[in-house]
Amino acid sequence: MILVTGAKGMLGTDLCAELSSQHQVTGVDLGDFDLGHKEAVEAIADLNPQLVVHCAAMTNVDGCETDPDRAYLVNGLGTRHAALACQKLDIPMLYISTDFVFDGAKREPYYEWDSPNPLGHYGRSKLAGESEIRSLLN
């Protein structure tokens, strides 16, 4: 079973629809549990997925600037909790990040190996999520 976090968001909704044509998919969202709380690790583990597609995020860029604590809770710590569940289950995780981890100064397309340089809290909080995954999952 594939678990999609942020299943009620725009990307999560589309992914659930697309993936469910060939796979068993379970979508979860904030109403199911809050990824910002450590109990989310067990909640994910209890679902026993074989893969987590982590789409859940605070994507309101302006909202992240006015409430950076919430941005880091959702995008950084929430991603950590999802990664810890994957680590516990020894399963892969696909994380959806953002181009906001870059500063936009490069005159050609960015690649995942380019050095990040986020300019705001949204990009920094998403980069924090990337860092959590790198430290917990190989």
Side-chain angles (χ1 to χ4, degrees):
M1 180 265 290
I2 298 172
L3 178 68
V4 177
T5 66
K8 291 183 181 174
M10 188 175 8
L11 178 61
T13 298
D14 288 347
L15 276 173
C16 285
E18 185 66 31
L19 291 171
S20 65
S21 68
Q22 295 184 22
H23 304 279
Q24 180 187 357
V25 176
T26 298
V28 295
D29 212 286
L30 192 54
D32 300 300
F33 52 83
D34 187 343
L35 284 168
H37 294 96
K38 64 182 178 181
E39 292 81 14
V41 176
E42 288 305 316
I44 292 171
D46 288 347
L47 293 170
N48 199 31
Q50 286 79 49
L51 166 69
V52 172
V53 179
H54 182 50
C55 302
M58 181 176 177
T59 58
N60 177 335
V61 176
D62 292 336
C64 289
E65 295 309 308
T66 59
D67 192 356
D69 290 342
R70 181 79 181 143
Y72 288 98
L73 176 70
V74 174
N75 297 339
L77 189 59
T79 300
R80 175 180 176 76
H81 292 150
L84 283 168
C86 292
Q87 182 185 61
K88 179 177 182 165
L89 295 169
D90 193 27
I91 61 170
M93 176 181 182
L94 174 64
Y95 176 59
I96 311 300
S97 191
T98 177
D99 61 340
F100 278 73
V101 299
F102 302 110
D103 58 16
K106 189 175 173 184
R107 300 254 184 247
E108 53 195 45
Y110 283 97
Y111 295 97
E112 56 269 34
W113 53 82
D114 287 334
S115 296
N117 186 31
L119 300 177
H121 291 295
Y122 172 65
R124 285 192 288 273
S125 68
K126 291 293 284 184
L127 182 59
E130 289 184 20
S131 296
E132 292 292 344
I133 293 167
R134 280 190 195 97
S135 72
L136 295 169
L137 303 174
N138 296 341

Short mmCIF file of all heavy atoms in Angstrom, two decimals, residues 38-85:
data_model
loop_
_atom_site.label_atom_id
_atom_site.label_comp_id
_atom_site.label_asym_id
_atom_site.label_seq_id
_atom_site.Cartn_x
_atom_site.Cartn_y
_atom_site.Cartn_z
N LYS A 38 4.68 14.20 17.49
CA LYS A 38 5.46 12.95 17.42
C LYS A 38 4.58 11.71 17.32
O LYS A 38 5.03 10.67 16.84
CB LYS A 38 6.41 12.84 18.59
CG LYS A 38 5.74 12.74 19.94
CD LYS A 38 6.76 12.68 21.06
CE LYS A 38 6.03 12.63 22.40
NZ LYS A 38 6.96 12.60 23.50
N GLU A 39 3.31 11.80 17.72
CA GLU A 39 2.40 10.67 17.59
C GLU A 39 2.17 10.28 16.13
O GLU A 39 1.73 9.16 15.84
CB GLU A 39 1.06 10.99 18.26
CG GLU A 39 1.12 11.13 19.77
CD GLU A 39 1.62 12.49 20.24
OE1 GLU A 39 1.67 13.45 19.43
OE2 GLU A 39 2.00 12.60 21.42
N ALA A 40 2.48 11.18 15.23
CA ALA A 40 2.33 10.88 13.80
C ALA A 40 3.23 9.73 13.36
O ALA A 40 2.87 8.99 12.44
CB ALA A 40 2.62 12.13 12.97
N VAL A 41 4.37 9.57 14.02
CA VAL A 41 5.28 8.47 13.66
C VAL A 41 4.54 7.14 13.81
O VAL A 41 4.54 6.31 12.89
CB VAL A 41 6.56 8.50 14.52
CG1 VAL A 41 7.45 7.30 14.22
CG2 VAL A 41 7.32 9.80 14.32
N GLU A 42 3.90 6.94 14.95
CA GLU A 42 3.17 5.70 15.19
C GLU A 42 1.93 5.60 14.31
O GLU A 42 1.56 4.51 13.87
CB GLU A 42 2.79 5.56 16.67
CG GLU A 42 3.98 5.26 17.56
CD GLU A 42 4.78 4.03 17.13
OE1 GLU A 42 4.18 2.99 16.78
OE2 GLU A 42 6.02 4.11 17.14
N ALA A 43 1.26 6.73 14.09
CA ALA A 43 0.06 6.71 13.25
C ALA A 43 0.39 6.23 11.84
O ALA A 43 -0.35 5.43 11.25
CB ALA A 43 -0.58 8.10 13.21
N ILE A 44 1.51 6.69 11.30
CA ILE A 44 1.95 6.23 9.98
C ILE A 44 2.36 4.77 10.04
O ILE A 44 1.96 3.96 9.20
CB ILE A 44 3.10 7.11 9.44
CG1 ILE A 44 2.58 8.52 9.13
CG2 ILE A 44 3.73 6.47 8.21
CD1 ILE A 44 3.67 9.52 8.80
N ALA A 45 3.15 4.42 11.04
CA ALA A 45 3.63 3.04 11.17
C ALA A 45 2.46 2.06 11.31
O ALA A 45 2.48 0.97 10.74
CB ALA A 45 4.58 2.92 12.36
N ASP A 46 1.41 2.47 12.03
CA ASP A 46 0.24 1.60 12.21
C ASP A 46 -0.48 1.31 10.89
O ASP A 46 -1.14 0.29 10.76
CB ASP A 46 -0.74 2.22 13.21
CG ASP A 46 -0.23 2.16 14.64
OD1 ASP A 46 0.76 1.45 14.91
OD2 ASP A 46 -0.82 2.87 15.50
N LEU A 47 -0.36 2.21 9.93
CA LEU A 47 -0.98 1.99 8.62
C LEU A 47 -0.20 0.99 7.77
O LEU A 47 -0.70 0.47 6.78
CB LEU A 47 -1.13 3.31 7.87
CG LEU A 47 -2.11 4.30 8.51
CD1 LEU A 47 -2.00 5.67 7.84
CD2 LEU A 47 -3.53 3.77 8.42
N ASN A 48 1.06 0.76 8.14
CA ASN A 48 1.93 -0.24 7.52
C ASN A 48 2.06 -0.09 6.01
O ASN A 48 1.89 -1.07 5.26
CB ASN A 48 1.47 -1.65 7.89
CG ASN A 48 2.56 -2.67 7.68
OD1 ASN A 48 3.74 -2.36 7.82
ND2 ASN A 48 2.18 -3.88 7.32
N PRO A 49 2.39 1.10 5.53
CA PRO A 49 2.57 1.26 4.08
C PRO A 49 3.88 0.63 3.62
O PRO A 49 4.78 0.36 4.43
CB PRO A 49 2.62 2.78 3.92
CG PRO A 49 3.19 3.27 5.21
CD PRO A 49 2.63 2.34 6.26
N GLN A 50 3.98 0.42 2.31
CA GLN A 50 5.25 -0.04 1.72
C GLN A 50 6.03 1.14 1.14
O GLN A 50 7.20 1.01 0.82
CB GLN A 50 4.99 -1.07 0.62
CG GLN A 50 4.57 -2.43 1.13
CD GLN A 50 3.10 -2.47 1.53
OE1 GLN A 50 2.23 -2.04 0.78
NE2 GLN A 50 2.82 -2.96 2.72
N LEU A 51 5.35 2.29 1.00
CA LEU A 51 5.96 3.51 0.46
C LEU A 51 5.16 4.69 0.98
O LEU A 51 3.93 4.62 1.04
CB LEU A 51 5.92 3.50 -1.07
CG LEU A 51 6.21 4.81 -1.81
CD1 LEU A 51 7.67 5.22 -1.67
CD2 LEU A 51 5.82 4.70 -3.29
N VAL A 52 5.84 5.77 1.35
CA VAL A 52 5.17 7.01 1.71
C VAL A 52 5.53 8.07 0.68
O VAL A 52 6.71 8.30 0.39
CB VAL A 52 5.59 7.50 3.12
CG1 VAL A 52 5.04 8.90 3.39
CG2 VAL A 52 5.11 6.52 4.19
N VAL A 53 4.51 8.67 0.10
CA VAL A 53 4.69 9.84 -0.77
C VAL A 53 4.27 11.03 0.08
O VAL A 53 3.09 11.20 0.39
CB VAL A 53 3.84 9.74 -2.06
CG1 VAL A 53 4.05 10.98 -2.92
CG2 VAL A 53 4.18 8.48 -2.83
N HIS A 54 5.24 11.81 0.47
CA HIS A 54 5.02 12.89 1.44
C HIS A 54 4.77 14.21 0.72
O HIS A 54 5.70 14.90 0.30
CB HIS A 54 6.23 12.99 2.38
CG HIS A 54 6.09 14.01 3.44
ND1 HIS A 54 4.99 14.12 4.25
CD2 HIS A 54 6.93 14.99 3.83
CE1 HIS A 54 5.16 15.12 5.09
NE2 HIS A 54 6.33 15.67 4.85
N CYS A 55 3.48 14.53 0.57
CA CYS A 55 3.06 15.78 -0.06
C CYS A 55 2.62 16.83 0.95
O CYS A 55 2.46 18.00 0.60
CB CYS A 55 1.88 15.53 -1.01
SG CYS A 55 2.18 14.35 -2.30
N ALA A 56 2.34 16.40 2.18
CA ALA A 56 1.81 17.33 3.18
C ALA A 56 2.80 18.46 3.43
O ALA A 56 3.99 18.23 3.60
CB ALA A 56 1.53 16.59 4.49
N ALA A 57 2.29 19.68 3.41
CA ALA A 57 3.16 20.84 3.63
C ALA A 57 2.30 22.07 3.86
O ALA A 57 1.15 22.13 3.45
CB ALA A 57 4.06 21.07 2.43
N MET A 58 2.91 23.04 4.51
CA MET A 58 2.33 24.37 4.54
C MET A 58 2.88 25.07 3.30
O MET A 58 4.06 25.42 3.24
CB MET A 58 2.74 25.11 5.81
CG MET A 58 2.15 26.50 5.93
SD MET A 58 2.59 27.24 7.53
CE MET A 58 1.86 28.86 7.33
N THR A 59 2.04 25.21 2.30
CA THR A 59 2.50 25.74 1.00
C THR A 59 2.14 27.20 0.78
O THR A 59 2.54 27.76 -0.24
CB THR A 59 1.92 24.90 -0.15
OG1 THR A 59 0.50 24.94 -0.07
CG2 THR A 59 2.41 23.47 -0.09
N ASN A 60 1.43 27.79 1.70
CA ASN A 60 1.08 29.21 1.59
C ASN A 60 2.35 30.02 1.87
O ASN A 60 2.72 30.21 3.02
CB ASN A 60 -0.03 29.55 2.57
CG ASN A 60 -0.40 31.01 2.58
OD1 ASN A 60 0.39 31.88 2.23
ND2 ASN A 60 -1.61 31.29 3.00
N VAL A 61 3.01 30.46 0.82
CA VAL A 61 4.31 31.13 0.95
C VAL A 61 4.19 32.37 1.83
O VAL A 61 5.00 32.58 2.74
CB VAL A 61 4.90 31.47 -0.43
CG1 VAL A 61 6.19 32.25 -0.30
CG2 VAL A 61 5.13 30.20 -1.25
N ASP A 62 3.18 33.19 1.60
CA ASP A 62 2.99 34.38 2.43
C ASP A 62 2.69 34.01 3.87
O ASP A 62 3.17 34.65 4.81
CB ASP A 62 1.88 35.27 1.86
CG ASP A 62 2.26 35.89 0.53
OD1 ASP A 62 3.48 36.03 0.25
OD2 ASP A 62 1.34 36.24 -0.25
N GLY A 63 1.90 32.96 4.06
CA GLY A 63 1.59 32.49 5.40
C GLY A 63 2.83 32.01 6.14
O GLY A 63 2.96 32.19 7.35
N CYS A 64 3.75 31.39 5.41
CA CYS A 64 5.00 30.94 6.02
C CYS A 64 5.85 32.12 6.48
O CYS A 64 6.53 32.05 7.50
CB CYS A 64 5.80 30.09 5.03
SG CYS A 64 5.09 28.47 4.71
N GLU A 65 5.77 33.21 5.74
CA GLU A 65 6.54 34.41 6.13
C GLU A 65 5.95 35.07 7.37
O GLU A 65 6.69 35.60 8.19
CB GLU A 65 6.59 35.40 4.97
CG GLU A 65 7.35 34.89 3.76
CD GLU A 65 8.72 34.34 4.08
OE1 GLU A 65 9.53 35.04 4.74
OE2 GLU A 65 9.01 33.19 3.68
N THR A 66 4.63 35.02 7.51
CA THR A 66 4.00 35.66 8.68
C THR A 66 3.94 34.72 9.88
O THR A 66 3.80 35.19 11.01
CB THR A 66 2.57 36.16 8.35
OG1 THR A 66 1.78 35.05 7.92
CG2 THR A 66 2.62 37.23 7.27
N ASP A 67 4.05 33.41 9.66
CA ASP A 67 4.02 32.43 10.75
C ASP A 67 5.12 31.40 10.54
O ASP A 67 4.85 30.22 10.27
CB ASP A 67 2.64 31.76 10.81
CG ASP A 67 2.43 30.95 12.08
OD1 ASP A 67 3.37 30.83 12.90
OD2 ASP A 67 1.31 30.42 12.26
N PRO A 68 6.38 31.82 10.66
CA PRO A 68 7.48 30.90 10.40
C PRO A 68 7.52 29.71 11.35
O PRO A 68 7.93 28.62 10.96
CB PRO A 68 8.73 31.77 10.53
CG PRO A 68 8.30 32.98 11.27
CD PRO A 68 6.86 33.17 11.00
N ASP A 69 7.06 29.89 12.58
CA ASP A 69 7.05 28.75 13.52
C ASP A 69 6.17 27.63 12.99
O ASP A 69 6.53 26.46 13.05
CB ASP A 69 6.58 29.18 14.91
CG ASP A 69 7.59 30.07 15.62
OD1 ASP A 69 8.77 30.08 15.22
OD2 ASP A 69 7.17 30.76 16.57
N ARG A 70 5.01 27.98 12.47
CA ARG A 70 4.10 26.99 11.91
C ARG A 70 4.72 26.34 10.67
O ARG A 70 4.62 25.13 10.46
CB ARG A 70 2.76 27.63 11.57
CG ARG A 70 1.75 26.68 11.00
CD ARG A 70 1.09 25.85 12.08
NE ARG A 70 0.14 24.93 11.48
CZ ARG A 70 -0.07 23.71 11.90
NH1 ARG A 70 0.54 23.26 12.96
NH2 ARG A 70 -0.93 22.93 11.29
N ALA A 71 5.38 27.15 9.85
CA ALA A 71 6.04 26.62 8.65
C ALA A 71 7.07 25.56 9.01
O ALA A 71 7.11 24.49 8.40
CB ALA A 71 6.68 27.76 7.86
N TYR A 72 7.90 25.84 10.01
CA TYR A 72 8.92 24.87 10.41
C TYR A 72 8.30 23.66 11.10
O TYR A 72 8.79 22.54 10.93
CB TYR A 72 9.97 25.53 11.30
CG TYR A 72 10.87 26.45 10.51
CD1 TYR A 72 10.65 27.81 10.48
CD2 TYR A 72 11.93 25.95 9.76
CE1 TYR A 72 11.46 28.66 9.74
CE2 TYR A 72 12.75 26.78 9.01
CZ TYR A 72 12.50 28.14 9.01
OH TYR A 72 13.30 28.97 8.26
N LEU A 73 7.22 23.86 11.83
CA LEU A 73 6.53 22.74 12.47
C LEU A 73 6.01 21.78 11.41
O LEU A 73 6.21 20.56 11.50
CB LEU A 73 5.37 23.24 13.34
CG LEU A 73 4.51 22.16 13.99
CD1 LEU A 73 5.29 21.43 15.07
CD2 LEU A 73 3.24 22.77 14.55
N VAL A 74 5.35 22.30 10.40
CA VAL A 74 4.75 21.46 9.37
C VAL A 74 5.80 20.94 8.40
O VAL A 74 5.91 19.73 8.17
CB VAL A 74 3.66 22.24 8.61
CG1 VAL A 74 3.14 21.43 7.43
CG2 VAL A 74 2.53 22.65 9.54
N ASN A 75 6.58 21.83 7.83
CA ASN A 75 7.49 21.45 6.73
C ASN A 75 8.79 20.83 7.20
O ASN A 75 9.39 20.03 6.48
CB ASN A 75 7.78 22.67 5.86
CG ASN A 75 6.54 23.20 5.19
OD1 ASN A 75 5.55 22.51 5.05
ND2 ASN A 75 6.58 24.46 4.79
N GLY A 76 9.24 21.18 8.38
CA GLY A 76 10.47 20.61 8.92
C GLY A 76 10.20 19.43 9.83
O GLY A 76 10.53 18.28 9.52
N LEU A 77 9.55 19.72 10.97
CA LEU A 77 9.30 18.67 11.95
C LEU A 77 8.30 17.64 11.44
O LEU A 77 8.46 16.44 11.67
CB LEU A 77 8.80 19.29 13.26
CG LEU A 77 8.69 18.35 14.45
CD1 LEU A 77 10.03 17.71 14.78
CD2 LEU A 77 8.13 19.09 15.66
N GLY A 78 7.28 18.07 10.71
CA GLY A 78 6.33 17.11 10.14
C GLY A 78 7.00 16.15 9.19
O GLY A 78 6.70 14.95 9.17
N THR A 79 7.92 16.65 8.40
CA THR A 79 8.68 15.80 7.49
C THR A 79 9.58 14.86 8.27
O THR A 79 9.73 13.69 7.91
CB THR A 79 9.48 16.65 6.49
OG1 THR A 79 8.55 17.45 5.74
CG2 THR A 79 10.31 15.81 5.55
N ARG A 80 10.17 15.36 9.35
CA ARG A 80 10.98 14.48 10.21
C ARG A 80 10.14 13.31 10.72
O ARG A 80 10.58 12.16 10.69
CB ARG A 80 11.56 15.26 11.38
CG ARG A 80 12.32 14.40 12.38
CD ARG A 80 12.91 15.21 13.53
NE ARG A 80 13.54 14.36 14.50
CZ ARG A 80 14.74 13.77 14.36
NH1 ARG A 80 15.43 13.96 13.25
NH2 ARG A 80 15.25 13.01 15.31
N HIS A 81 8.93 13.60 11.18
CA HIS A 81 8.08 12.53 11.71
C HIS A 81 7.72 11.51 10.63
O HIS A 81 7.73 10.30 10.89
CB HIS A 81 6.83 13.12 12.35
CG HIS A 81 7.13 13.89 13.60
ND1 HIS A 81 6.37 14.95 14.01
CD2 HIS A 81 8.13 13.77 14.51
CE1 HIS A 81 6.88 15.44 15.13
NE2 HIS A 81 7.94 14.73 15.44
N ALA A 82 7.43 11.98 9.44
CA ALA A 82 7.15 11.06 8.33
C ALA A 82 8.39 10.21 8.02
O ALA A 82 8.27 9.00 7.81
CB ALA A 82 6.70 11.83 7.10
N ALA A 83 9.56 10.82 8.03
CA ALA A 83 10.80 10.09 7.76
C ALA A 83 11.10 9.08 8.87
O ALA A 83 11.58 7.97 8.59
CB ALA A 83 11.96 11.06 7.58
N LEU A 84 10.84 9.45 10.12
CA LEU A 84 11.06 8.52 11.23
C LEU A 84 10.16 7.28 11.09
O LEU A 84 10.59 6.16 11.38
CB LEU A 84 10.81 9.20 12.57
CG LEU A 84 11.92 10.13 13.04
CD1 LEU A 84 11.44 10.97 14.23
CD2 LEU A 84 13.17 9.33 13.41
N ALA A 85 8.93 7.49 10.64
CA ALA A 85 8.04 6.35 10.42
C ALA A 85 8.59 5.46 9.31
O ALA A 85 8.57 4.22 9.44
CB ALA A 85 6.64 6.84 10.07
#
